[in-house]
């Protein structure tokens, strides 16, 4: 499986997003992270950024949500390996191997759904979705970091 720099960046951004969600959820109650709102804002951003018409959006986003759901399951499993005792080489070796397997699972899910997306949207719009999603996550993290600095 050939991995491009764009796909690697996309994967790393998603990994960061999904691993950071529990931290965002620990915000004060009035600013608590709302995954449903986050997803709705992301969908609206992608729709606007890519210029999806209502028909395209109605066909694309159910499949997109399906992909996110599968990826989140794998990322949740990945989070279990964050707290490995670095003094235990055997546990570290096992965690490294398992995380590598999970990284590959994420890429396989992404590849599977990229192919599904290409059956729904033209390739240019699929690439636009990838870029828009990356942009949305960058902006969300900048905003969260800015908000977090303001609370200290």
């Amino acid at each position: 499986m050939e991995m491009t720099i764009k796909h690697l960046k996309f994967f790393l951004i998603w990994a960061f997003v999904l691993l950071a969600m529990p931290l965002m959820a620990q915000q004060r109650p009035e600013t608590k992270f709302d995954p449903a709102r986050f997803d709705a804002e992301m969908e609206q951003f992608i729709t606007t950024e890519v210029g999806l018409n209502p028909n395209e959006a109605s066909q694309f986003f159910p499949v997109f949500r399906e992909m996110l759901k599968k990826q989140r399951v794998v990322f949740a499993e990945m989070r279990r390996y964050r707290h490995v005792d670095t003094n235990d080489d055997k546990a570290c070796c096992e965690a490294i191997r398992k995380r590598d397997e999970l990284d590959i699972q994420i890429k396989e899910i992404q590849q599977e759904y990229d192919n599904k997306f290409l059956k729904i949207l033209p390739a240019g719009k699929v690439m636009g979705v990838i870029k828009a999603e990356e942009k949305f996550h960058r902006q969300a993290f900048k905003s969260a970091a800015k908000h977090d600095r303001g609370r200290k």
Side-chain angles (χ1 to χ4, degrees), residues 23 27-28 142-152:
L23 295 175
Q27 297 175 3
R28 286 183 272 167
K142 283 181 186 176
S143 176
K146 186 176 182 180
H147 178 74
D148 195 44
R149 282 192 301 266
R151 292 187 329 165
K152 291 182 180 180

Side-chain angles (χ1 to χ4, degrees), residues 2-3 14 18 26 46-47 58 75 80 82 84 88-91 100 110 112 115 125 132 137 141 146 149-150:
E2 184 178 306
M3 188 180 326
W14 260 108
L18 293 174
Q26 294 176 0
I46 290 170
T47 299
S58 69
F75 281 121
R80 294 186 355 210
R82 282 191 309 200
V84 174
D88 182 346
D89 283 342
K90 183 178 178 185
D100 287 347
Q110 185 178 350
E112 171 190 348
N115 289 328
K125 286 195 175 186
H137 286 115
F141 282 115
K146 186 176 182 180
R149 282 192 301 266

Side-chain angles (χ1 to χ4, degrees), residues 77-78 80-85 88-103:
E77 191 174 339
M78 247 183 203
R80 294 186 355 210
Y81 296 99
R82 282 191 309 200
H83 305 292
V84 174
D85 179 3
D88 182 346
D89 283 342
K90 183 178 178 185
C92 287
C93 187
E94 181 181 325
I96 290 166
R97 288 198 172 106
K98 186 62 178 172
R99 285 181 53 92
D100 287 347
E101 290 173 15
L102 293 169
D103 281 342

Side-chain angles (χ1 to χ4, degrees), residues 93-138:
C93 187
E94 181 181 325
I96 290 166
R97 288 198 172 106
K98 186 62 178 172
R99 285 181 53 92
D100 287 347
E101 290 173 15
L102 293 169
D103 281 342
I104 291 168
Q105 280 183 31
I106 290 290
K107 291 307 297 175
E108 288 172 344
I109 291 168
Q110 185 178 350
Q111 185 178 42
E112 171 190 348
Y113 279 88
D114 283 349
N115 289 328
K116 288 182 180 186
F117 298 156
L118 289 167
K119 292 177 182 173
I120 299 169
L121 299 172
K125 286 195 175 186
V126 172
M127 183 56 74
V129 167
I130 292 168
K131 289 180 179 185
E133 187 180 10
E134 290 172 356
K135 185 176 179 181
F136 178 82
H137 286 115
R138 278 192 308 274

Side-chain angles (χ1 to χ4, degrees), residues 13 20 30 33 58 74 98 105 118 139:
I13 288 169
E30 67 270 16
F33 178 73
S58 69
V74 178
K98 186 62 178 172
Q105 280 183 31
L118 289 167
Q139 290 176 356

